[in-house]
Amino acid sequence: MERLEMVLEQSEDDWTRLDEDNEHASGPAAAEYRRRSAGAAAFLGRTVRAQASVKRLLEQSDTDIHHGEAMTCVHRAETAACRKEKLLLGLPADDGPDESLCRSACLNLAHTDRDIAEHRRRLPVLETEARDLMTPRPRRDRAAAQAAQICAVIEQHEASRPEATHMEGGRVA
């Protein structure tokens, strides 16, 4: 029952942010994220008395969208990089995503404005660590690589905004 409540609340929040707040989504799964969010059934306050009803409602309502740390997974097992990684490692592949095995090239990723805001908060920390001579070289290199990756995600997100298609010299026309 708690999972059903969480799914319904998240679906409503996602759709409200997209529809009313004009939240932008980018990345390989952005269109699917918008489609699933728009198609999420509104919960009309039905009384649920049996476990079978909870299961049925969950199957009908679950958009299989998972918000993680600065990323949104619009999960499809067939294209999930984390699932492929688990199978390569000989581990059982679960039905859902595994954020610890998430890959930036995964086709299931979408980036929302919320995710980009989290990236913007994390970026100065990584940039500082990359320049800190007291930090061991491997950690500096890793921080620099992560900062560069985050910059690329932010740039792609901003460039994919509808108003960004009319850019002139790096500025919106």
Side-chain angles (χ1 to χ4, degrees):
M1 187 64 174
E2 291 168 1
R3 173 144 170 74
L4 175 62
E5 289 174 355
M6 187 271 307
V7 165
L8 294 171
E9 287 175 13
Q10 178 183 305
S11 295
E12 181 181 356
D13 183 51
D14 288 345
W15 176 243
T16 299
R17 288 173 186 261
L18 285 168
D19 186 50
E20 295 175 13
D21 301 340
N22 295 315
E23 181 175 55
H24 177 60
S26 65
E32 183 66 10
Y33 172 70
R34 286 189 288 272
R35 188 190 70 72
R36 288 187 193 183
S37 294
F43 185 63
L44 302 175
R46 299 178 211 144
T47 302
V48 180
R49 298 173 196 240
Q51 185 66 27
S53 297
V54 171
K55 185 177 179 182
R56 182 180 46 78
L57 279 171
L58 191 54
E59 288 171 358
Q60 293 173 357
S61 304
D62 193 354
T63 57
D64 210 7
I65 295 171
H66 307 269
H67 295 282
E69 187 177 322
M71 56 72 82
T72 299
C73 177
V74 185
H75 191 259
R76 277 190 51 224
E78 305 83 42
T79 57
C82 60
R83 183 175 187 275
K84 291 175 186 175
E85 184 74 19
K86 278 186 170 182
L87 292 173
L88 284 173
L89 295 171
L91 299 172
D94 301 332
D95 290 338
D98 184 339
E99 192 172 347
S100 69
L101 295 173
C102 186
R103 301 292 180 253
S104 60
C106 183
L107 297 176
N108 292 351
L109 283 180
H111 304 286
T112 65
D113 287 340
R114 289 172 276 171
D115 301 327
I116 298 303
E118 183 61 33
H119 279 312
R120 289 184 196 278
R121 282 189 288 276
R122 188 161 181 243
L123 186 58
V125 173
L126 290 170
E127 291 172 333
T128 299
E129 186 174 341
R131 290 188 308 266
D132 184 357
L133 297 178
M134 297 301 289
T135 301
R137 184 69 168 164
R139 287 190 56 196
R140 286 196 319 251
D141 292 346
R142 179 182 165 109
Q146 288 175 329
Q149 184 179 16
I150 286 174
C151 284
V153 168
I154 292 170
E155 287 172 13
Q156 289 171 355
H157 182 77
E158 295 304 331
S160 70
R161 288 186 185 280
E163 62 272 12
T165 58
H166 303 290
M167 300 281 286
E168 282 183 17
R171 303 175 93 180
V172 177

